[in-house]
Every structure is written in structure tokens, then in C-alpha cells.
Amino acid sequence: MFIDKVKIKVKGGNGGNGAVSFYRAKYITNGGPDGGDGGRGGDIIFIADESLTTLMDFRYKRTFKANNGEDGGKRNCSGKDAEDVYIKVPVGTVIKEAASNKIMADLTGHGEEVVLIKGGKGGKGNQHFATPVRQAPRYAERGRTSKEYDIILELKLIADVGIIGFPNVGKSTLLSMATNANPKIANYHFTTLAPNLGVVRNKWGKDFVMADIPGLIEGASEGIGLGFEFLRHVERTKAFIHVVDAAAVEGNDPLADIEKINNELKTYNPALLERPQVIAANKMDIPEASENYERIKAQYEPMGYKVFPISAASNEGIGEVIEEISKILSNYPEDIVFETDYEEYSEVEIDKEPFTISMTDDGVYVVEGVGVEKMIGYTSIDTEKGFAFFQRYLKDKGIIEALEEKGIREGDTVLIYDLLFDYYK
């Protein structure tokens, strides 16, 4: 089964907590701090694999979570780092953050890797907090909490040439004749329910990949039929072979069919019509096709389209089409990148994340913000040292100043996330 869009949840591993420990041995009653550091949490890493052609495996597993790092131990023993989690996806997979629909990664080459989520950093053991003044610190740092996301995996096939046209015009037959592909072919609508890929062994130039794009009908760009699901696969193609039934076997006007398909491309992404397009007038072995072929040439060749008479069933004329496509591809830059309509996702640094201050009916100042909550997550607020770190953070971020502008006084209560404390300078 061909699956090209799924939603999954991914979470990196949290860092292990630092240890609070003091060296103990025979005849040594007041040894120094020897708490070890926590281990690093596991990363979430996506890797593109050309052996995969579908996202079907993600139908059965929708959650991927890396393990947490181990906590630190006694005698300066650090906790073990957690193993990273590798997730294989087909080449051409776009990873988007579900809430914003912004691109987090785009894997276009075999073996390409992206660390989507870094594991949390392990917390420092109490040995790091010893000073000449405080020689026996009884606190350690918590491990950092890693991120988690709901993400959308969206597969966009990477092909040099896309075969477009209405159902039942001979696209699959053309693909089977021109390439090594073996698609299922039948004489009824929507016989192709998944994009098919084939490699053209090209005597006129470099070999190239050709894709049969199914499901294109009038209204496809608006979600009608299967077209909306498959239009994304034309976005990465460099050129199109537009197959049309010149014999009008089903009574359609070939010129109107070409215009309708092109309108769907334009509605979905106007840039698609700027790419080279060759028209293949198919079923020329049927006598009625000759008149329509001349009409297509008269209409579209003055517009810059080259029109070729072919019979996909008997392999006639296909060589001329492949030769023309080869010329087009030879003039394409190797590193061309087709833009998408999506914005790139970017993390906001903690110290730049916004915060808000509000007041409850009983006079409690409530500070809210993602960065503040993250800070609480990896700081030991219940220790003197940790609370001092947190106070410094509030000052550096401007929260103390903002509270004073709101009119806070010494002794007033502040609530941040689940932490409730009285304000004193």
C-alpha cells in the first residue's frame, strides 16, 4: 500500500540528573563532594533511505521516544548516555511541525541525516558546585528536559519527469514502454492509485527517473478525487510529459482536457506551469486521432509546447518524446531546488522567548512563558544554589523589571508554572 502522509509523535530523551554524594572511606568521615554527572538523553535522528518508497510502516507505529540518560552516581561516576533513535524515511520526505505546518527538515538524498531533536543534557553532580566558601554542597543540577513534537511526514517523490494527464489516457502504458517500470494497467478510471516510478535508460543522454502521477481530474487542486493527495508529487519534477487521448475514445475534447489539467497545476502551484512541458498525443493508431492531433498542434505549438504523435500501446513515437525530454534535462542546472509554500521552522532561543505577566483576583502575580517553564524544568529550585540561579535568570531576562513595572512590592506572591514564592529584592 502506498502511504505518503502520516502524523507521528517524537520525543528526545531527557538528561540524567546529577548526583549528590560525598566521599566516604575508612577513617575519612568528612570527604568532599563526589556526585557524578547525569548522562545525555538520546537524540531523534531521521535518515533518508532510497530502499523505502512509502511511509506505510508509520501506520503501525506512531510514537518514537528516545530513552533518558542515566542519573549520576557516587565517586564521580557519570550516568550512561542514552542511545540515539534512528528513524528511516524514503528519500524525498518532508518533515513538518504539525501545529505550525512549517518545515523542520527536507531529506532529498540517500543517507542524508538530520538530528530533529537533541537529547537533554545531563545535569552536573554536586562536585561541580564546591567552592572555598561552600565545600559541601548538598544540591546538584537536574538533567535538561528534551523536546517533543507532533510532526507530519510528507513524501514528495523525486523524479526528473512527471507524466500528467487525465485517467485512462495511457500514462501507465507510456511509463511501462519507456522505462523499466511494470505498473498495473487496466481500461477503467483510477486504475493507478499510487505514483509509479521508472528509470529511462537513455541513449540520448543521462538516464533519468520518470513518474506517472495519478489522480489528476478537474477539481483535483481543490481536493476532488485523489488528485489533491498526489499533486504534491509533481512539485519536484523538472519537466512534464502531458499525455492526452487524441482519439477521444471517451468523447472528451483533447484540447479541453489539456487546458483543464494545466489549470489544476496552476491552481495548486503557479510555478508548475513555468516548467517545460511536452504534449504526447496518444492513441494515434486509431484513425480518429489524426484530426485532433492537428488541432492540438495548431493550438499549443504557437504557445511554445512541442506536440508529438505517439501510440503508447505499440511504442510508436515514444523515442522522439524521450529525445526531446533529454534535451530539456541536459539544460537544467544540477543543483536546482524547487521552493515550497511552507515556511521553515526555527526554534526561538529561551532567552528570547516572550513572557506575560498577569494578576489573579487575590493579588498573585502570574508569570507565563515557554522559556521560563523550560528554565524551571532543568533547575533545582528547591536548593539555595538552584534558586539563586533562577533569580539571576529572572533578572537577566527582564522579568524582575517587568514585575516592578506592574507594581510588585516586597512580600507579594509570584506564581511561575507550579512554583509559588514571595518576592524580595
Side-chain angles (χ1 to χ4, degrees), residues 24-35:
R24 294 292 181 265
K26 192 174 183 179
Y27 308 120
I28 300 178
T29 57
N30 294 312
D34 66 352

Side-chain angles (χ1 to χ4, degrees), residues 161-274:
V161 179
I163 306 175
I164 59 174
F166 272 83
N168 206 29
V169 296
K171 301 196 302 293
S172 296
T173 304
L174 172 60
L175 181 71
S176 67
M177 288 291 189
T179 74
N180 57 357
N182 187 28
K184 294 181 179 179
I185 300 172
N187 191 30
Y188 53 85
H189 287 291
F190 297 112
T191 177
T192 308
L193 298 179
N196 288 304
L197 290 174
V199 177
V200 176
R201 302 302 179 190
N202 186 12
K203 65 181 180 181
W204 293 282
K206 294 182 179 179
D207 295 348
F208 60 86
V209 178
M210 186 183 293
D212 168 17
I213 310 299
L216 296 186
I217 60 174
E218 189 173 13
S221 60
E222 299 172 0
I224 298 176
L226 300 175
F228 187 77
E229 295 300 319
F230 294 125
L231 271 167
R232 71 173 66 95
H233 296 297
V234 304
E235 288 187 304
R236 298 185 193 255
T237 55
K238 298 177 180 177
F240 297 117
I241 298 175
H242 194 151
V243 182
V244 62
D245 178 7
V249 173
E250 298 188 359
N252 297 341
D253 181 3
L255 276 75
D257 284 355
I258 295 172
E259 183 177 358
K260 288 175 182 177
I261 292 296
N262 282 343
N263 281 338
E264 294 308 313
L265 297 180
K266 181 179 179 181
T267 302
Y268 180 75
N269 185 347
L272 295 177
L273 278 190
E274 298 176 6

